[in-house]
Amino acid sequence: MIKNKKWIKPYLYCFGIAFLFLMICSKNSFLYRINDWVDANAFFTVGKGMVRGVVPYQSLFEQKGPLLYLIYGIGSLISYRSFLGVFILEVLSFSIFLYYTYKIITLFFEEKKAYLIIPIFTLSIVTLGSFSHGGSVEEFSLSLFMISFYYLISYLKEKDILISRKTVFLVGILAGSILWMKYTLLGFWFGWMMCVFAIQCYNKQYKAAFENCFIYLLGMLVATIPWLIYFGLHNALGDLWNVYFVVNMNAYSSTSSIITKITNTLSLLFKNLFDNLPTFLGIVVGFFLLFQKGNQWGKKGANITLLTCMLTTGIFIYVGGTSFHYYPFVLTPFILIGFLIFLSYSSKQEWKISNLGCIFLSFLALYTMCGNTKMIKWSKEDYAQYRFAERIMKSEDKTVLNYGFLDGGFYTTTGNIPEFYYFMKNNIDYERYPEMMDQQRAYIREKKPHFVILQKESVIDRIALLKKGNVLDELPSISKDYKLIDYHTQRYQTKMVTYFLYERLS
């Protein structure tokens, strides 16, 4: 009984670190008025619709996996017009990530060093540019990643070539969960199973190697069946396949040659590995020293296994040829390699700093290093999302269309579940998928939305704008059917954007 409770203290410690650090860095935190990140708002919009009977891909067009929408949907059940519920789930997920980080460290070192390293490790991750605004699919995948990472390192550390079937089955379930969040993140799990299979075949354990592949796939199937049932019951399997797989693969895939794709993929991967100090020291320098130090693991080729998993993770991310700033965040668990090397070199040193001192110094550095903290002092009046919502909520007809840009958060502040399939413009070129913008224009021509919200990223002469009454030359019908009733300029990431609120004349 006592042994079973040993996890409580380290988990509560990790939960506390997750809460404190995400409270400052994540815009989902209660310290921020809103998470203005377009991706988080899109997930929230689809998620809150999903838990209230709206079927993703069939009734709302969005491109991430249904498990991510479910997470955001559960968050919306806690708080409908804010990200507080999402923040709670974010903290829970990140605390699991940190707990398995703790378990990995204690495979090699005493518990005290794990407690000291975790705040520094957390600081190095949440202050990365790829952390973005908080709540990315990459961030929510970290807990699943680190659980699988722990079992891989545990396996590599032991001399036994066989691996528990329960472990393989569990990792298969985790891989299946990632499949239904964002399948381009599956690279690590592909490398995980490939390396376990290779190790067992190298040691002539052929039967176990093939059995484990079957068990692994069975785990993925177990994670998949609920979604097949859900979409099957809603007659939406075709919509799931078309949007989540077909559109995603066609919208972002490059038509370049195989050689060019390989070159571009490796170029993007290594560019991001050298892009910031924590990633460079943790991954690049960490792996270099790991190989320099020699193989100190239970199994031969353990170093190569870890490197292979890192490479397969990166290749899956960038094989499509595109890159957004949050893509490399899923590589951050490999920063732990650098921390483990550092601990091994300093294993004989006496660490005099206390846990509390380490937390305090890390937390102190956090506020200045995190790029989001300047928005903590913003009030609701500083956001078009709240300013427009106040006007929209006074109308009997509250239908809103977020026209021509990603979800700006106006569905969040108004509490709207969109009535339009294309409720925003995704990051897909018109030439690749013209139907989206054609339909958004059709909604306006047919005067379906009572309110239309637009965005411009350039400086605008406000007096001239008010006289003109519209800003969209490519959609002249809006000038005769809709009237500009409000606008607001605010900072979004590194640029100033102006939002415009139009109301239907009749």
Side-chain angles (χ1 to χ4, degrees):
M1 182 67 70
I2 296 175
K3 183 179 179 181
N4 292 337
K5 292 182 179 179
K6 284 185 176 180
W7 64 272
I8 296 176
K9 178 185 174 183
Y11 176 74
L12 290 178
Y13 178 80
C14 293
F15 179 87
I17 296 295
F19 177 81
L20 286 173
F21 283 61
L22 291 178
M23 177 183 70
I24 297 298
C25 273
S26 173
K27 290 183 184 177
N28 294 321
S29 162
F30 51 86
L31 295 181
Y32 295 84
R33 302 298 173 267
I34 190 175
N35 187 342
D36 61 347
W37 188 33
V38 290
D39 289 50
N41 280 282
F43 306 154
F44 193 69
T45 297
V46 178
K48 72 184 179 185
M50 182 181 182
V51 297
R52 292 168 176 83
V54 177
V55 182
Y57 318 119
Q58 184 183 71
S59 300
L60 293 175
F61 182 91
E62 227 286 317
Q63 297 167 272
K64 294 298 189 296
L67 179 55
L68 180 66
Y69 301 143
L70 180 60
I71 293 170
Y72 271 81
I74 293 171
S76 76
L77 295 176
I78 300 171
S79 179
Y80 186 65
R81 286 190 174 89
S82 80
F83 287 90
L84 177 61
V86 177
F87 174 69
I88 293 171
L89 298 178
E90 185 183 10
V91 170
L92 288 172
S93 174
F94 206 86
S95 64
I96 294 171
F97 163 70
L98 291 181
Y99 175 67
Y100 276 88
T101 300
Y102 161 87
K103 285 175 69 70
I104 290 173
I105 295 172
T106 53
L107 286 174
F108 302 92
F109 308 100
E110 62 270 24
E111 189 178 50
K112 179 183 177 181
K113 289 190 175 180
Y115 284 131
L116 288 171
I117 285 296
I118 282 175
I120 306 171
F121 179 63
T122 306
L123 174 69
S124 70
I125 289 179
V126 298
T127 54
L128 291 173
S130 55
F131 176 80
S132 193
H133 311 261
S136 67
V137 61
E138 286 78 8
E139 181 186 345
F140 275 109
S141 73
L142 289 186
S143 56
L144 310 184
F145 189 112
M146 201 56 96
I147 295 171
S148 304
F149 202 31
Y150 166 74
Y151 284 113
L152 178 64
I153 292 178
S154 298
Y155 174 65
L156 295 175
K157 193 172 180 293
E158 300 297 328
K159 292 184 178 181
D160 191 356
I161 299 302
L162 299 179
I163 186 172
S164 166
R165 293 179 177 180
K166 290 182 180 179
T167 297
V168 176
F169 183 66
L170 172 62
V171 174
I173 292 175
L174 298 177
S177 300
I178 291 294
L179 172 66
W180 298 108
M181 290 175 70
K182 184 178 179 181
Y183 53 79
T184 55
L185 302 182
L186 275 171
F188 172 74
W189 284 269
F190 175 81
W192 194 102
M193 193 62 244
M194 180 180 70
C195 288
V196 171
F197 178 81
I199 289 170
Q200 293 186 330
C201 285
Y202 178 79
N203 289 276
K204 300 181 180 179
Q205 296 289 336
Y206 303 113
K207 180 181 178 182
F210 284 97
E211 280 182 353
N212 285 332
C213 289
F214 175 78
I215 294 169
Y216 180 86
L217 292 174
L218 184 62
M220 291 191 70
L221 179 61
V222 168
T224 297
I225 288 174
W227 296 114
L228 296 180
I229 294 173
Y230 169 79
F231 286 102
L233 290 175
H234 288 91
N235 297 313
L237 285 172
D239 300 295
L240 169 68
W241 173 255
N242 180 57
V243 177
Y244 188 49
F245 293 101
V246 176
V247 172
N248 271 332
M249 291 178 182
N250 292 333
Y252 302 108
S253 62
S254 171
T255 56
S256 306
S257 66
I258 297 295
I259 299 298
T260 303
K261 280 187 175 183
I262 293 173
T263 304
N264 290 342
T265 300
L266 294 176
S267 174
L268 286 169
L269 172 59
F270 288 109
K271 174 184 177 295
N272 281 284
L273 289 179
F274 286 84
D275 192 44
N276 56 74
L277 188 61
T279 304
F280 174 74
L281 292 177
I283 300 180
V284 179
V285 176
F287 270 105
F288 175 77
L289 293 176
L290 185 65
F291 277 84
Q292 288 290 102
K293 210 170 164 56
N295 193 353
Q296 297 183 3
W297 303 72
K299 292 183 178 65
K300 292 182 179 180
N303 300 349
I304 296 174
T305 295
L306 294 175
L307 180 61
T308 299
C309 288
M310 190 276 290
L311 290 174
T312 55
T313 302
I315 289 169
F316 269 58
I317 295 170
Y318 295 114
V319 71
T322 58
S323 177
F324 291 97
H325 67 281
Y326 50 85
Y327 274 19
F329 193 65
V330 74
L331 290 167
T332 55
F334 290 103
I335 293 175
L336 185 59
I337 299 293
F339 279 89
L340 293 175
I341 294 296
F342 168 75
L343 287 172
S344 68
Y345 276 112
S346 61
S347 59
K348 296 181 180 180
Q349 300 296 320
E350 183 178 350
W351 293 23
K352 296 182 180 180
I353 187 171
S354 66
N355 288 350
L356 188 60
C358 194
I359 294 171
F360 176 76
L361 291 175
S362 299
F363 192 72
L364 193 65
L366 179 69
Y367 195 88
T368 56
M369 293 174 65
C370 178
N372 295 332
T373 52
K374 58 183 176 292
M375 296 180 63
I376 291 177
K377 61 184 179 182
W378 288 18
S379 66
K380 288 186 176 182
E381 289 71 26
D382 295 315
Y383 289 95
Q385 288 84 349
Y386 286 105
R387 177 170 169 164
F388 291 2
E390 187 176 351
R391 300 196 66 162
I392 291 168
M393 298 307 291
K394 293 177 182 178
S395 174
E396 291 185 8
D397 186 349
K398 300 176 179 62
T399 55
V400 177
L401 175 63
N402 186 112
Y403 175 84
F405 64 105
L406 281 161
D407 192 331
F410 300 97
Y411 298 118
T412 299
T413 53
T414 60
N416 261 320
I417 295 176
E419 299 181 17
F420 309 105
Y421 183 62
Y422 297 106
F423 65 95
M424 64 176 185
K425 180 189 179 299
N426 297 66
N427 278 324
I428 306 176
D429 294 338
Y430 179 81
E431 293 73 18
R432 287 179 179 258
Y433 195 73
E435 180 181 340
M436 186 186 329
M437 285 310 299
D438 288 346
Q439 282 298 312
Q440 280 217 323
R441 292 187 177 99
Y443 299 149
I444 295 177
R445 281 198 306 271
E446 297 165 11
K447 298 191 289 185
K448 289 183 177 179
H450 189 75
F451 295 96
V452 178
I453 298 173
L454 294 80
Q455 178 200 75
K456 282 285 183 177
E457 297 178 2
S458 57
V459 178
I460 296 178
D461 184 335
R462 297 181 180 182
I463 297 176
L465 172 65
L466 289 172
K467 290 180 179 179
K468 184 178 180 182
N470 73 89
V471 293
L472 279 191
D473 294 332
E474 74 270 20
L475 193 62
S477 63
I478 197 171
S479 62
K480 65 179 182 179
D481 296 325
Y482 292 84
K483 178 184 178 182
L484 177 68
I485 61 171
D486 202 359
Y487 63 90
H488 184 74
T489 301
Q490 65 195 55
R491 179 170 294 279
Y492 177 69
Q493 295 183 343
T494 59
K495 58 197 175 188
M496 298 300 293
V497 297
T498 303
Y499 297 98
F500 305 92
L501 177 63
Y502 287 83
E503 184 174 13
R504 193 175 61 215
L505 292 173
S506 59

